[in-house]
Amino acid sequence: MSESSRTPVLLIVDMINPLDFPGGASMRPLAIEAAKRLAKLKKRFRNSGRPVVYVNDNFMDWKADFKEIVAVVGHDTPGAPLAELLAPEHDDYFVLKPKHSGFYETPLPTLLEKLQAGRLVVTGVATDGCVLATATDAHIREFDVHVPRDCVAAISTERTERALALMKASMHIDVRTSRYVDP
Amino acid sequence: MSESSRTPVLLIVDMINPLDFPGGASMRPLAIEAAKRLAKLKKRFRNSGRPVVYVNDNFMDWKADFKEIVAVVGHDTPGAPLAELLAPEHDDYFVLKPKHSGFYETPLPTLLEKLQAGRLVVTGVATDGCVLATATDAHIREFDVHVPRDCVAAISTERTERALALMKASMHIDVRTSRYVDP
Amino acid sequence: MSESSRTPVLLIVDMINPLDFPGGASMRPLAIEAAKRLAKLKKRFRNSGRPVVYVNDNFMDWKADFKEIVAVVGHDTPGAPLAELLAPEHDDYFVLKPKHSGFYETPLPTLLEKLQAGRLVVTGVATDGCVLATATDAHIREFDVHVPRDCVAAISTERTERALALMKASMHIDVRTSRYVDP
Amino acid sequence: MSESSRTPVLLIVDMINPLDFPGGASMRPLAIEAAKRLAKLKKRFRNSGRPVVYVNDNFMDWKADFKEIVAVVGHDTPGAPLAELLAPEHDDYFVLKPKHSGFYETPLPTLLEKLQAGRLVVTGVATDGCVLATATDAHIREFDVHVPRDCVAAISTERTERALALMKASMHIDVRTSRYVDP
């Protein structure tokens, strides 16, 4: 699955997010900054006809659709600006996940197989939480992984830097900015 | 997980279904009959405050929410009567599955853990396809499994009988009618 | 993964087996008959340089290696003739499984990826138990599946016939004899 | 599964290890130091009758048993001292893993269920690789996790410190020394 000719896929992790957890207030400005860059990267993927997949927490609400979650979060929560900057479009893909990793108890593996995905660009929040867990599981499954450092955020810059340093050193994950992503 | 004191959960497999596949026409009257019985069983679960979970195919449409699938199927497809008889209610649970088994690449395991499920009542279509695959995986995970014979259907009665006989003989699954289900 | 050019792999399910469970005595002569045919099929795979994988129960003994299990079973249990007819060779692959399906909580998916497996020939016992569960999971993962009817056994011929009829009708699995297997 | 009354289980990750990879020479003295502490912790688990599970890489050798791997590694590889300090005993459990996480394609989940595990003490190498991946997956599955900082190693102390800091901050994992582990 590591052939560079296979499709690059953009994964957007947990950016549809009320940010109402402890630390959410600290994460908010950093996540908004990342969302601005990520919105541009997403546009580049869409312009190239490359797949964009929202890989989002279900927030343990087992009765809500993704689009309901988007509507709720976008309406008057601290995370509303993220949902606005990264509003899912009708032909974006999405996967709801119950836990940290986008690969755990979700159809993401089958979706990526159908998309003939080879390279995964993992973005979103938190760099040291769901992004790390998803990138690790992608690495385990032998995908080429790129975590562009300007398209992720955590509750502090220090946490993001620590997680990126670990991903680079321990898994040889590319952590250069989105400028180096080639959709 | 086999203690009888744990919660019984009703799983409704693939009853939100356009029935537009080869064999769908043959399955239709049998599925409608099963849906009528299942609607009554579902009411008994709801009246007892027991969880009802729709475990439904996503039909390889990776951009559709469950409720969109319900709306599309319910509008002018051969399967519309099923969607009407078994219309999901706002407090029913649902899980979208990409393949045959409800346990494959879905959050069903975590949902059942949260619900403290012990006994699983597996219903829907097809008895010899997704119902069998889901019941097998439930058995593997050591749940008590009941597949009430009047709440399942396939493209022929013979296929249903064969699959039920196999489940009973090989996995000791209870296949008595819904009269013997105790929500 | 369904391209016919990909490697065919022979899976031998639970043939290293003490046959000391209820029904084991009934299964024994049928399993020995299947083992004789399977030994020939295995030889054809080996002569063609095609992989052979033992996919075997660990019998809930979490401290035993596969080769220890082979030694124990081969020494003075009712299943000893099977272990003799199908003695694993030093360059056969093996995978221990904790439950019915060879795909559940085992490294079989990664091994099959490394072997570039396309077609899976599933054999062994019981046709209506671990063979069916493994063949179903292979089908779900979009492998071409062949369950040669002369290389499987259950505690009765009726059970084998029922399981084969189901696999053929419901999953379009090839159930012709081993003569039709092309390693 | 988070009740403190449930069984604590010691997981020993990848300590049966030839240390013949790039960086292995740097890891060696640090791993030997950790192995000495870990040997004492293991003895405390065994004296309390608590389970010890080796969760070890199969090094992509699909034809080798765990005990064969132990024998090969223990004989004249740079990792021999680890295998000697932590020689598996006949009643220790073991699980072979094909990838980084001990939960990926292994029977560890079922084994932990049988052991009624509640608290997992994750030890071994590398702190920023297989230990982190295993601890993350344990956290995702809602186990209480303790990674005693004196019983893990990586190719540098800096890498271990970074991974421990991340586990503590991001997953609230206990990273105090083995003195604080209560078998």
Side-chain angles (χ1 to χ4, degrees), chain B residues 126-177:
Chain B
T127 325
D128 58 333
C130 297
V131 169
L132 174 61
T134 302
T136 300
D137 276 356
H139 175 70
I140 283 178
R141 283 155 183 82
E142 303 185 19
F143 287 100
D144 284 338
V145 184
H146 190 154
V147 179
R149 61 167 58 250
D150 57 335
C151 296
V152 292
I155 68 176
S156 72
T157 304
E158 185 206 7
R159 283 196 183 199
T160 284
E161 287 305 322
R162 185 164 56 200
L164 290 172
L166 189 150
M167 287 188 253
K168 185 181 176 192
S170 309
M171 296 186 261
H172 307 295
I173 288 177
D174 191 341
V175 298
R176 291 175 301 164
T177 62

Short mmCIF file of all heavy atoms in Angstrom, two decimals, chain B residues 126-177:
data_model
loop_
_atom_site.label_atom_id
_atom_site.label_comp_id
_atom_site.label_asym_id
_atom_site.label_seq_id
_atom_site.Cartn_x
_atom_site.Cartn_y
_atom_site.Cartn_z
N ALA B 126 -30.59 -10.64 5.55
CA ALA B 126 -31.20 -11.90 5.21
C ALA B 126 -30.76 -12.93 6.25
O ALA B 126 -29.61 -12.92 6.70
CB ALA B 126 -30.74 -12.35 3.82
N THR B 127 -31.65 -13.85 6.56
CA THR B 127 -31.35 -14.88 7.56
C THR B 127 -30.02 -15.57 7.25
O THR B 127 -29.24 -15.85 8.16
CB THR B 127 -32.46 -15.94 7.58
OG1 THR B 127 -33.72 -15.32 7.33
CG2 THR B 127 -32.49 -16.65 8.91
N ASP B 128 -29.78 -15.85 5.98
CA ASP B 128 -28.58 -16.60 5.59
C ASP B 128 -27.43 -15.69 5.16
O ASP B 128 -26.43 -16.16 4.64
CB ASP B 128 -28.91 -17.57 4.45
CG ASP B 128 -29.48 -16.83 3.23
OD1 ASP B 128 -30.09 -15.75 3.40
OD2 ASP B 128 -29.31 -17.33 2.11
N GLY B 129 -27.58 -14.38 5.40
CA GLY B 129 -26.53 -13.44 5.03
C GLY B 129 -26.12 -12.64 6.25
O GLY B 129 -25.41 -13.13 7.13
N CYS B 130 -26.60 -11.39 6.31
CA CYS B 130 -26.15 -10.49 7.37
C CYS B 130 -26.64 -10.92 8.76
O CYS B 130 -25.95 -10.68 9.75
CB CYS B 130 -26.59 -9.06 7.03
SG CYS B 130 -25.80 -8.48 5.51
N VAL B 131 -27.80 -11.54 8.84
CA VAL B 131 -28.27 -12.02 10.14
C VAL B 131 -27.35 -13.14 10.64
O VAL B 131 -26.90 -13.13 11.79
CB VAL B 131 -29.74 -12.51 10.05
CG1 VAL B 131 -30.15 -13.27 11.32
CG2 VAL B 131 -30.67 -11.34 9.79
N LEU B 132 -27.05 -14.09 9.78
CA LEU B 132 -26.15 -15.19 10.16
C LEU B 132 -24.77 -14.67 10.54
O LEU B 132 -24.19 -15.07 11.55
CB LEU B 132 -26.03 -16.19 9.00
CG LEU B 132 -25.01 -17.32 9.18
CD1 LEU B 132 -25.34 -18.19 10.39
CD2 LEU B 132 -24.93 -18.17 7.91
N ALA B 133 -24.22 -13.76 9.72
CA ALA B 133 -22.88 -13.24 10.00
C ALA B 133 -22.85 -12.49 11.34
O ALA B 133 -21.91 -12.62 12.13
CB ALA B 133 -22.41 -12.32 8.86
N THR B 134 -23.90 -11.72 11.61
CA THR B 134 -23.97 -10.96 12.86
C THR B 134 -24.17 -11.89 14.06
O THR B 134 -23.53 -11.73 15.10
CB THR B 134 -25.11 -9.92 12.78
OG1 THR B 134 -24.87 -9.06 11.65
CG2 THR B 134 -25.20 -9.09 14.05
N ALA B 135 -25.04 -12.88 13.90
CA ALA B 135 -25.28 -13.83 15.00
C ALA B 135 -24.03 -14.64 15.29
O ALA B 135 -23.71 -14.92 16.45
CB ALA B 135 -26.45 -14.75 14.65
N THR B 136 -23.29 -15.02 14.24
CA THR B 136 -22.05 -15.77 14.43
C THR B 136 -21.04 -14.94 15.21
O THR B 136 -20.42 -15.43 16.18
CB THR B 136 -21.44 -16.18 13.06
OG1 THR B 136 -22.38 -17.00 12.36
CG2 THR B 136 -20.14 -16.95 13.24
N ASP B 137 -20.88 -13.70 14.81
CA ASP B 137 -19.92 -12.84 15.51
C ASP B 137 -20.36 -12.56 16.95
O ASP B 137 -19.52 -12.42 17.85
CB ASP B 137 -19.74 -11.52 14.75
CG ASP B 137 -18.70 -11.67 13.63
OD1 ASP B 137 -18.08 -12.74 13.52
OD2 ASP B 137 -18.49 -10.70 12.88
N ALA B 138 -21.67 -12.48 17.19
CA ALA B 138 -22.15 -12.32 18.57
C ALA B 138 -21.83 -13.56 19.40
O ALA B 138 -21.42 -13.47 20.56
CB ALA B 138 -23.66 -12.05 18.56
N HIS B 139 -22.02 -14.71 18.79
CA HIS B 139 -21.72 -15.98 19.46
C HIS B 139 -20.22 -16.08 19.78
O HIS B 139 -19.83 -16.47 20.89
CB HIS B 139 -22.14 -17.13 18.53
CG HIS B 139 -21.78 -18.49 19.01
ND1 HIS B 139 -22.39 -19.08 20.10
CD2 HIS B 139 -20.87 -19.40 18.57
CE1 HIS B 139 -21.87 -20.28 20.30
NE2 HIS B 139 -20.94 -20.49 19.38
N ILE B 140 -19.38 -15.68 18.83
CA ILE B 140 -17.93 -15.68 19.04
C ILE B 140 -17.55 -14.81 20.22
O ILE B 140 -16.65 -15.14 20.99
CB ILE B 140 -17.22 -15.21 17.74
CG1 ILE B 140 -17.19 -16.35 16.71
CG2 ILE B 140 -15.81 -14.71 18.02
CD1 ILE B 140 -16.56 -15.98 15.37
N ARG B 141 -18.26 -13.69 20.38
CA ARG B 141 -17.99 -12.77 21.48
C ARG B 141 -18.70 -13.16 22.78
O ARG B 141 -18.75 -12.40 23.74
CB ARG B 141 -18.39 -11.35 21.07
CG ARG B 141 -17.36 -10.70 20.14
CD ARG B 141 -17.96 -9.63 19.27
NE ARG B 141 -16.99 -9.07 18.35
CZ ARG B 141 -16.65 -9.66 17.19
NH1 ARG B 141 -17.20 -10.79 16.83
NH2 ARG B 141 -15.76 -9.08 16.40
N GLU B 142 -19.28 -14.34 22.78
CA GLU B 142 -19.85 -14.95 23.98
C GLU B 142 -21.12 -14.27 24.50
O GLU B 142 -21.43 -14.33 25.69
CB GLU B 142 -18.79 -15.08 25.08
CG GLU B 142 -17.59 -15.90 24.60
CD GLU B 142 -16.54 -16.17 25.67
OE1 GLU B 142 -16.84 -16.07 26.86
OE2 GLU B 142 -15.39 -16.49 25.27
N PHE B 143 -21.86 -13.65 23.60
CA PHE B 143 -23.20 -13.19 23.98
C PHE B 143 -24.17 -14.37 23.89
O PHE B 143 -24.00 -15.29 23.09
CB PHE B 143 -23.69 -12.11 22.99
CG PHE B 143 -23.02 -10.78 23.16
CD1 PHE B 143 -21.99 -10.41 22.30
CD2 PHE B 143 -23.41 -9.91 24.15
CE1 PHE B 143 -21.35 -9.18 22.44
CE2 PHE B 143 -22.78 -8.67 24.29
CZ PHE B 143 -21.76 -8.32 23.44
N ASP B 144 -25.23 -14.32 24.72
CA ASP B 144 -26.37 -15.20 24.49
C ASP B 144 -27.11 -14.66 23.28
O ASP B 144 -27.40 -13.46 23.22
CB ASP B 144 -27.32 -15.17 25.70
CG ASP B 144 -26.77 -15.97 26.86
OD1 ASP B 144 -25.93 -16.85 26.64
OD2 ASP B 144 -27.19 -15.70 28.00
N VAL B 145 -27.42 -15.51 22.31
CA VAL B 145 -28.03 -15.04 21.07
C VAL B 145 -29.38 -15.72 20.86
O VAL B 145 -29.52 -16.93 21.07
CB VAL B 145 -27.11 -15.33 19.86
CG1 VAL B 145 -27.71 -14.75 18.58
CG2 VAL B 145 -25.71 -14.76 20.09
N HIS B 146 -30.35 -14.92 20.46
CA HIS B 146 -31.67 -15.43 20.10
C HIS B 146 -32.01 -14.85 18.73
O HIS B 146 -31.97 -13.64 18.54
CB HIS B 146 -32.70 -14.99 21.16
CG HIS B 146 -34.04 -15.65 21.02
ND1 HIS B 146 -34.90 -15.83 22.08
CD2 HIS B 146 -34.69 -16.19 19.95
CE1 HIS B 146 -36.01 -16.43 21.68
NE2 HIS B 146 -35.91 -16.66 20.39
N VAL B 147 -32.32 -15.72 17.79
CA VAL B 147 -32.76 -15.28 16.45
C VAL B 147 -34.20 -15.76 16.26
O VAL B 147 -34.43 -16.88 15.81
CB VAL B 147 -31.84 -15.86 15.35
CG1 VAL B 147 -32.32 -15.41 13.97
CG2 VAL B 147 -30.39 -15.42 15.56
N PRO B 148 -35.17 -14.94 16.65
CA PRO B 148 -36.57 -15.40 16.58
C PRO B 148 -36.98 -15.65 15.13
O PRO B 148 -36.92 -14.76 14.29
CB PRO B 148 -37.35 -14.25 17.22
CG PRO B 148 -36.45 -13.07 17.19
CD PRO B 148 -35.05 -13.58 17.20
N ARG B 149 -37.43 -16.87 14.87
CA ARG B 149 -37.64 -17.32 13.49
C ARG B 149 -38.74 -16.56 12.76
O ARG B 149 -38.78 -16.55 11.53
CB ARG B 149 -37.93 -18.81 13.46
CG ARG B 149 -39.18 -19.23 14.22
CD ARG B 149 -39.56 -20.68 13.86
NE ARG B 149 -38.52 -21.65 14.12
CZ ARG B 149 -37.83 -22.30 13.16
NH1 ARG B 149 -38.10 -22.08 11.89
NH2 ARG B 149 -36.91 -23.16 13.49
N ASP B 150 -39.62 -15.91 13.50
CA ASP B 150 -40.70 -15.17 12.83
C ASP B 150 -40.30 -13.72 12.54
O ASP B 150 -41.09 -12.97 11.98
CB ASP B 150 -41.98 -15.23 13.67
CG ASP B 150 -41.79 -14.70 15.08
OD1 ASP B 150 -40.63 -14.73 15.58
OD2 ASP B 150 -42.77 -14.24 15.69
N CYS B 151 -39.09 -13.33 12.92
CA CYS B 151 -38.65 -11.94 12.72
C CYS B 151 -37.45 -11.86 11.79
O CYS B 151 -36.69 -10.88 11.81
CB CYS B 151 -38.31 -11.30 14.07
SG CYS B 151 -39.72 -11.14 15.17
N VAL B 152 -37.26 -12.88 10.98
CA VAL B 152 -36.18 -12.87 9.98
C VAL B 152 -36.74 -13.31 8.64
O VAL B 152 -37.79 -13.96 8.57
CB VAL B 152 -35.01 -13.81 10.39
CG1 VAL B 152 -34.28 -13.27 11.61
CG2 VAL B 152 -35.51 -15.23 10.64
N ALA B 153 -36.03 -12.96 7.57
CA ALA B 153 -36.46 -13.39 6.24
C ALA B 153 -35.26 -13.49 5.31
O ALA B 153 -34.21 -12.88 5.55
CB ALA B 153 -37.48 -12.42 5.66
N ALA B 154 -35.45 -14.28 4.23
CA ALA B 154 -34.43 -14.42 3.20
C ALA B 154 -35.16 -14.43 1.85
O ALA B 154 -36.35 -14.14 1.80
CB ALA B 154 -33.64 -15.70 3.42
N ILE B 155 -34.45 -14.77 0.77
CA ILE B 155 -35.16 -14.75 -0.51
C ILE B 155 -36.01 -16.00 -0.70
O ILE B 155 -36.75 -16.10 -1.67
CB ILE B 155 -34.21 -14.54 -1.71
CG1 ILE B 155 -33.30 -15.74 -1.94
CG2 ILE B 155 -33.40 -13.27 -1.56
CD1 ILE B 155 -32.44 -15.58 -3.19
N SER B 156 -35.92 -16.94 0.23
CA SER B 156 -36.87 -18.07 0.21
C SER B 156 -37.00 -18.59 1.63
O SER B 156 -36.10 -18.40 2.47
CB SER B 156 -36.38 -19.18 -0.71
OG SER B 156 -35.27 -19.85 -0.13
N THR B 157 -38.12 -19.28 1.89
CA THR B 157 -38.31 -19.89 3.20
C THR B 157 -37.29 -21.00 3.43
O THR B 157 -36.80 -21.19 4.55
CB THR B 157 -39.74 -20.46 3.30
OG1 THR B 157 -40.65 -19.39 3.02
CG2 THR B 157 -40.02 -20.99 4.69
N GLU B 158 -36.94 -21.67 2.37
CA GLU B 158 -35.95 -22.75 2.48
C GLU B 158 -34.61 -22.21 2.99
O GLU B 158 -33.98 -22.82 3.85
CB GLU B 158 -35.76 -23.39 1.09
CG GLU B 158 -34.84 -24.60 1.10
CD GLU B 158 -34.17 -24.81 -0.27
OE1 GLU B 158 -34.35 -23.93 -1.17
OE2 GLU B 158 -33.46 -25.81 -0.43
N ARG B 159 -34.20 -21.07 2.45
CA ARG B 159 -32.93 -20.49 2.90
C ARG B 159 -32.98 -20.11 4.38
O ARG B 159 -32.01 -20.30 5.12
CB ARG B 159 -32.60 -19.25 2.08
CG ARG B 159 -32.07 -19.59 0.70
CD ARG B 159 -31.43 -18.35 0.14
NE ARG B 159 -30.96 -18.55 -1.21
CZ ARG B 159 -30.06 -17.78 -1.80
NH1 ARG B 159 -29.56 -16.73 -1.15
NH2 ARG B 159 -29.67 -18.02 -3.02
N THR B 160 -34.10 -19.53 4.79
CA THR B 160 -34.25 -19.16 6.19
C THR B 160 -34.19 -20.41 7.06
O THR B 160 -33.48 -20.45 8.08
CB THR B 160 -35.56 -18.40 6.42
OG1 THR B 160 -35.40 -17.06 5.95
CG2 THR B 160 -35.94 -18.35 7.90
N GLU B 161 -34.91 -21.45 6.66
CA GLU B 161 -34.94 -22.68 7.47
C GLU B 161 -33.55 -23.29 7.58
O GLU B 161 -33.14 -23.75 8.64
CB GLU B 161 -35.92 -23.69 6.87
CG GLU B 161 -37.38 -23.31 7.08
CD GLU B 161 -37.72 -23.08 8.55
OE1 GLU B 161 -37.21 -23.79 9.41
OE2 GLU B 161 -38.50 -22.13 8.82
N ARG B 162 -32.81 -23.28 6.47
CA ARG B 162 -31.47 -23.86 6.49
C ARG B 162 -30.54 -23.09 7.42
O ARG B 162 -29.79 -23.68 8.20
CB ARG B 162 -30.90 -23.87 5.07
CG ARG B 162 -29.57 -24.56 4.95
CD ARG B 162 -29.25 -24.88 3.49
NE ARG B 162 -29.28 -23.67 2.67
CZ ARG B 162 -29.41 -23.68 1.34
NH1 ARG B 162 -29.55 -24.82 0.68
NH2 ARG B 162 -29.42 -22.55 0.66
N ALA B 163 -30.61 -21.77 7.33
CA ALA B 163 -29.73 -20.96 8.19
C ALA B 163 -30.11 -21.11 9.66
O ALA B 163 -29.23 -21.21 10.53
CB ALA B 163 -29.79 -19.50 7.76
N LEU B 164 -31.40 -21.15 9.95
CA LEU B 164 -31.83 -21.32 11.35
C LEU B 164 -31.42 -22.69 11.89
O LEU B 164 -30.96 -22.80 13.03
CB LEU B 164 -33.35 -21.15 11.46
CG LEU B 164 -33.88 -19.73 11.24
CD1 LEU B 164 -35.41 -19.75 11.18
CD2 LEU B 164 -33.42 -18.79 12.35
N ALA B 165 -31.58 -23.72 11.06
CA ALA B 165 -31.19 -25.07 11.49
C ALA B 165 -29.70 -25.11 11.81
O ALA B 165 -29.27 -25.70 12.81
CB ALA B 165 -31.54 -26.09 10.40
N LEU B 166 -28.91 -24.44 10.98
CA LEU B 166 -27.47 -24.40 11.21
C LEU B 166 -27.15 -23.66 12.51
O LEU B 166 -26.35 -24.12 13.33
CB LEU B 166 -26.78 -23.74 10.02
CG LEU B 166 -25.26 -23.80 9.99
CD1 LEU B 166 -24.75 -23.80 8.55
CD2 LEU B 166 -24.64 -22.62 10.74
N MET B 167 -27.76 -22.48 12.69
CA MET B 167 -27.48 -21.70 13.91
C MET B 167 -27.84 -22.49 15.16
O MET B 167 -27.13 -22.48 16.16
CB MET B 167 -28.25 -20.38 13.88
CG MET B 167 -27.69 -19.38 12.89
SD MET B 167 -28.47 -17.74 13.03
CE MET B 167 -29.48 -17.71 11.54
N LYS B 168 -28.98 -23.19 15.10
CA LYS B 168 -29.42 -23.96 16.26
C LYS B 168 -28.47 -25.12 16.53
O LYS B 168 -28.00 -25.31 17.66
CB LYS B 168 -30.84 -24.48 16.03
CG LYS B 168 -31.41 -25.20 17.24
CD LYS B 168 -32.80 -25.74 16.99
CE LYS B 168 -33.27 -26.53 18.21
NZ LYS B 168 -34.48 -27.31 17.91
N ALA B 169 -28.18 -25.90 15.50
CA ALA B 169 -27.37 -27.11 15.68
C ALA B 169 -25.91 -26.78 16.01
O ALA B 169 -25.31 -27.39 16.89
CB ALA B 169 -27.44 -27.98 14.42
N SER B 170 -25.35 -25.79 15.31
CA SER B 170 -23.90 -25.58 15.40
C SER B 170 -23.52 -24.57 16.47
O SER B 170 -22.39 -24.58 16.95
CB SER B 170 -23.36 -25.11 14.04
OG SER B 170 -23.79 -25.97 13.02
N MET B 171 -24.43 -23.65 16.81
CA MET B 171 -24.07 -22.62 17.78
C MET B 171 -25.02 -22.59 18.98
O MET B 171 -24.91 -21.71 19.82
CB MET B 171 -24.01 -21.25 17.10
CG MET B 171 -22.93 -21.15 16.02
SD MET B 171 -22.76 -19.48 15.33
CE MET B 171 -23.71 -19.63 13.81
N HIS B 172 -25.96 -23.54 19.02
CA HIS B 172 -26.92 -23.58 20.12
C HIS B 172 -27.66 -22.25 20.28
O HIS B 172 -27.96 -21.83 21.39
CB HIS B 172 -26.23 -23.96 21.42
CG HIS B 172 -25.44 -25.22 21.30
ND1 HIS B 172 -26.02 -26.45 21.06
CD2 HIS B 172 -24.10 -25.45 21.32
CE1 HIS B 172 -25.08 -27.37 20.96
NE2 HIS B 172 -23.90 -26.80 21.12
N ILE B 173 -27.90 -21.59 19.17
CA ILE B 173 -28.65 -20.34 19.20
C ILE B 173 -30.14 -20.66 19.32
O ILE B 173 -30.64 -21.58 18.68
CB ILE B 173 -28.34 -19.52 17.92
CG1 ILE B 173 -26.92 -18.95 18.02
CG2 ILE B 173 -29.37 -18.42 17.70
CD1 ILE B 173 -26.46 -18.18 16.80
N ASP B 174 -30.80 -19.89 20.16
CA ASP B 174 -32.25 -20.04 20.34
C ASP B 174 -32.95 -19.48 19.10
O ASP B 174 -32.73 -18.33 18.73
CB ASP B 174 -32.66 -19.24 21.59
CG ASP B 174 -34.08 -19.54 22.04
OD1 ASP B 174 -34.88 -20.08 21.24
OD2 ASP B 174 -34.38 -19.23 23.21
N VAL B 175 -33.75 -20.31 18.43
CA VAL B 175 -34.42 -19.83 17.21
C VAL B 175 -35.94 -19.92 17.34
O VAL B 175 -36.66 -19.90 16.34
CB VAL B 175 -33.94 -20.62 15.96
CG1 VAL B 175 -32.45 -20.40 15.74
CG2 VAL B 175 -34.25 -22.10 16.07
N ARG B 176 -36.42 -19.99 18.57
CA ARG B 176 -37.87 -20.02 18.76
C ARG B 176 -38.47 -18.65 18.39
O ARG B 176 -37.76 -17.64 18.31
CB ARG B 176 -38.19 -20.37 20.21
CG ARG B 176 -37.85 -21.84 20.54
CD ARG B 176 -38.07 -22.11 22.01
NE ARG B 176 -37.24 -21.22 22.83
CZ ARG B 176 -37.43 -21.01 24.14
NH1 ARG B 176 -38.42 -21.60 24.77
NH2 ARG B 176 -36.62 -20.21 24.81
N THR B 177 -39.77 -18.63 18.21
CA THR B 177 -40.43 -17.39 17.77
C THR B 177 -40.31 -16.29 18.82
O THR B 177 -39.92 -16.52 19.96
CB THR B 177 -41.93 -17.64 17.51
OG1 THR B 177 -42.53 -18.05 18.74
CG2 THR B 177 -42.15 -18.68 16.42
#
